[in-house]
Amino acid sequence: MEHVNEKINTSEKLTGGVDKNAKIAVLCGGMSNEREVSLRSGKNVLAALQRLGYKNAEIVDATKEAVEKLLDGGYDFAYNTLHGKYGEDGCIQGLLEILGIRYTGCDVKSSAICMDKEMTKNVLKAAGLNIIKSVCIKYDENLNVEKAVEGLKFPLMVKPSAEGSSIGMSKVDNIDELKEALRVAQKSDKKILLEEYLQGKSITVGVLEDVNKNETFATPILEFRTKTLWYDFEAKYTEGMTEFILPAELSDTLTDEIKKMAVHAHKACDCSGVSRVDFLVYNNIPYVLEINTNPGMTDLSDLPAQARAMGIDYDNLVQLVLNTALK
């Protein structure tokens, strides 16, 4: 595994694999709450593919009408830049498998696992990885909220179990705030994760695979310090709202531990191709928060910055991820 300060010689590390004449559908947009972010990712990826010489790449907006286009389009590959429901939860992956179109990144099973925060935590815990104390509840108006949080200490983070980009999330300090936060969160998902809030360092680690060399490796660790209470939607997608420290200000020992944990989490959830593992470091102990199976590829996204810090520019990152469709 590469040390945090080492660079990759991309001319040696990265090679092509997908035929330049292949017809590629860049899947983006879609029907989730993250549609606009996905469109930005897709636009950037298409431009990179064209610079790489893939002249038969084109955008496919993954709405219901996309099924017919995928059926009739004669696509060899799909480059998945969808975020959130239907694109990151195994749905589009299942459709592509039925249609016989090879696609980038994680498969049906790993996508479904990692989209569900409760399921992810269960798998990570079974794999021996540190997770923050939490409970998962099914929301309804008759829920006994006081009983639901017995054994948890305030403040709490309230998270829709199957939602991305911090949509529907809240930090609450008491029962009254929790009740209101649950009403907000249930608009995104009736299953809601309640997790103890720890004040620590928020960091994220990309995990990439070089299918030509059968290698799985972690990127440098990115630390983010936000102007908001946590790394919410505004902080993620509004320029100037977050300070990024790359590489993160961590000891070499802790850096190596976290990178190994990221690869361990990626493999424990049976991820493939690419993922991004989010952590919180509290009292020098790293806790895995969640795994993103289709990291953003916008101008402000974490994964391109992490890859760049180890010598992989945006176009080479796109090539690396495209090659995962060959698996």
Side-chain angles (χ1 to χ4, degrees), residues 19 25 68 70-71 79 82 85 95 115 120 130 137 187 225 229 241-242 264 270 288-290:
D19 191 296
E68 185 175 350
L70 289 170
L71 271 171
Y79 195 115
L82 291 165
K85 292 180 180 179
L95 173 63
M115 189 67 183
T120 303
N130 301 328
I137 57 102
K187 295 176 182 177
R225 299 172 186 170
L229 285 175
M241 291 300 294
T242 301
H264 186 184
D270 209 18
V288 183
L289 294 176
E290 60 183 81

Side-chain angles (χ1 to χ4, degrees), residues 76-132:
D76 302 296
F77 299 96
Y79 195 115
N80 185 10
T81 64
L82 291 165
H83 307 315
K85 292 180 180 179
Y86 310 115
E88 205 168 353
D89 57 2
C91 290
I92 194 69
Q93 290 81 2
L95 173 63
L96 292 168
E97 291 192 10
I98 290 170
L99 298 179
I101 300 173
R102 289 176 287 182
Y103 57 91
T104 57
C106 294
D107 65 9
V108 176
K109 178 177 67 175
S110 55
S111 299
I113 289 172
C114 293
M115 189 67 183
D116 187 318
K117 293 179 176 63
E118 180 189 26
M119 185 62 68
T120 303
K121 278 180 171 281
N122 290 342
V123 173
L124 295 176
K125 184 177 181 180
L129 290 157
N130 301 328
I131 59 171
I132 298 173

